[in-house]
Amino acid sequence: MARNKRRGRAAGPEAVVETVAGGVAELIPDPERARAWTLLVDGAPQSHVDLDEPARLGFAYQRRLGHVIDLVAPPGRPLRVVHLGGGAFTLARYVAATRPRSTQQVVEVDGALVQLVRRELPLDPNARVRVRTADARAGLGKVPDGWADLVVADVFGGARTPAHLTSTEFLAEVRRVLTPGGHYAANLADGPPLAHLRGQIATAAAVFGELALAADPAVLRGRRFGNAVLLASDTALPVAELTRRVATDPHPGRVEHGRELADFTGGAAPVTDASAKDSPLPPASVFE
């Protein structure tokens, strides 16, 4: 049975705690912003949303995905976007705020989480966002060929990406739904020795002609666990401007591309459905 309770201080918004399919979901109010919230599932941060400023992205990896959204088409042009993984719909809200008249599909497997977010953090009724409760790969299979300008994958069961969303077969489905010259962006998480991240780059390289990777330098050096944003397409990528934006972020990162990214992969083999595994479990210290 789901438990739904609020907890908090005497003044100000209270946290919302509710059991969902993926575990215990918590919506924690931001002490510095009146209508901003962080979503955690089983203690793992999933999303940060500012209802008053949906174009404000609180997490570094979400800002990097925001840069991708900004750069894959001229400013303000509406996009057709598929979001695999819903969380608190942070990036769908960002697209709606920065690219009005965009049409978006969100695929989120956890129906109880969708209901919680819709109730507590409602979407702008004028935003063209359709939310489908389904497994990410199954939901992707229902998207027509060549429909999407951008597919964003940010899928975690707890704190791990499911194995069936890490393979060449999965990325072939992504490519199927993209328009010619469309883009794929994924939030990946790994730590030393970075075997999962290297394998995901090799997998994307087997399907797409152009790749770029943005991450904290300490993550790229294998010094700590963290997020990396992978961008892939069959057309030239906006590497110079992405590099500038990532480098000037409040949490500066680095972008790898071309020969440097191929060298980083270190000969890793592409992942197939037969060999796929869930992404690594983060160490407990990541969330402390």
Side-chain angles (χ1 to χ4, degrees):
M1 178 181 295
R3 61 186 177 95
N4 185 354
K5 67 177 182 178
R6 294 176 179 267
R7 68 183 188 190
R9 302 155 295 185
E14 299 177 338
V16 181
V17 183
E18 185 166 318
T19 300
V20 297
V24 176
E26 299 177 83
L27 289 173
I28 308 297
D30 187 326
E32 298 180 358
R33 293 179 176 268
R35 300 182 69 223
W37 301 79
T38 298
L39 169 67
L40 297 88
V41 177
D42 280 351
Q46 302 287 323
S47 303
H48 183 274
V49 170
D50 189 331
L51 297 179
D52 289 331
E53 295 184 58
R56 180 183 178 274
L57 300 174
F59 293 169
Y61 88 85
Q62 289 183 328
R63 289 194 296 275
R64 288 165 189 158
L65 287 169
H67 299 328
V68 168
I69 293 165
D70 292 344
L71 296 173
V72 295
R77 176 187 291 178
L79 295 176
R80 290 183 294 185
V81 185
V82 176
H83 301 268
L84 303 178
F89 312 145
T90 302
L91 292 170
R93 299 174 201 266
Y94 182 86
V95 172
T98 60
R99 295 183 177 275
R101 302 182 307 283
S102 291
T103 302
Q104 304 184 74
Q105 297 187 39
V106 176
V107 184
E108 170 58 56
V109 71
D110 194 330
L113 179 61
V114 169
Q115 292 179 12
L116 170 66
V117 172
R118 279 190 177 278
R119 184 183 73 238
E120 301 291 340
L121 309 175
L123 286 163
D124 181 343
N126 295 317
R128 301 176 181 179
V129 181
R130 177 187 179 187
V131 182
R132 185 196 304 271
T133 300
D135 168 79
R137 188 157 163 180
L140 186 67
K142 296 184 181 298
V143 179
D145 293 3
W147 183 85
D149 300 302
L150 174 65
V151 174
V152 178
D154 187 10
V155 187
F156 289 85
R160 306 178 75 179
T161 300
H164 69 296
L165 305 180
T166 67
S167 66
T168 52
E169 292 90 341
F170 164 68
L171 288 185
E173 270 293 281
V174 170
R175 185 171 181 177
R176 176 189 65 78
V177 309
L178 286 173
T179 59
H183 293 77
Y184 170 67
N187 176 32
L188 308 174
D190 199 9
L194 298 179
H196 173 73
L197 183 57
R198 298 181 203 279
Q200 288 303 285
I201 298 167
T203 303
V207 179
F208 294 99
E210 296 288 334
L211 306 178
L213 186 74
D216 186 303
V219 173
L220 294 175
R221 295 187 188 111
R223 293 181 178 175
R224 68 171 182 84
F225 196 99
N227 297 91
V229 168
L230 176 66
L231 176 60
S233 181
D234 285 326
T235 192
L237 300 176
V239 175
E241 181 61 16
L242 180 62
T243 299
R244 186 191 69 79
R245 293 190 183 204
V246 170
T248 56
D249 187 82
H251 294 88
R254 194 171 83 219
V255 173
E256 297 288 5
H257 173 258
R259 172 52 56 189
E260 290 78 11
L261 185 57
D263 290 345
F264 175 83
T265 306
V271 176
T272 66
D273 279 345
S275 63
K277 300 178 182 178
D278 293 351
S279 67
L281 186 67
S285 60
V286 169
F287 306 125
E288 290 177 353

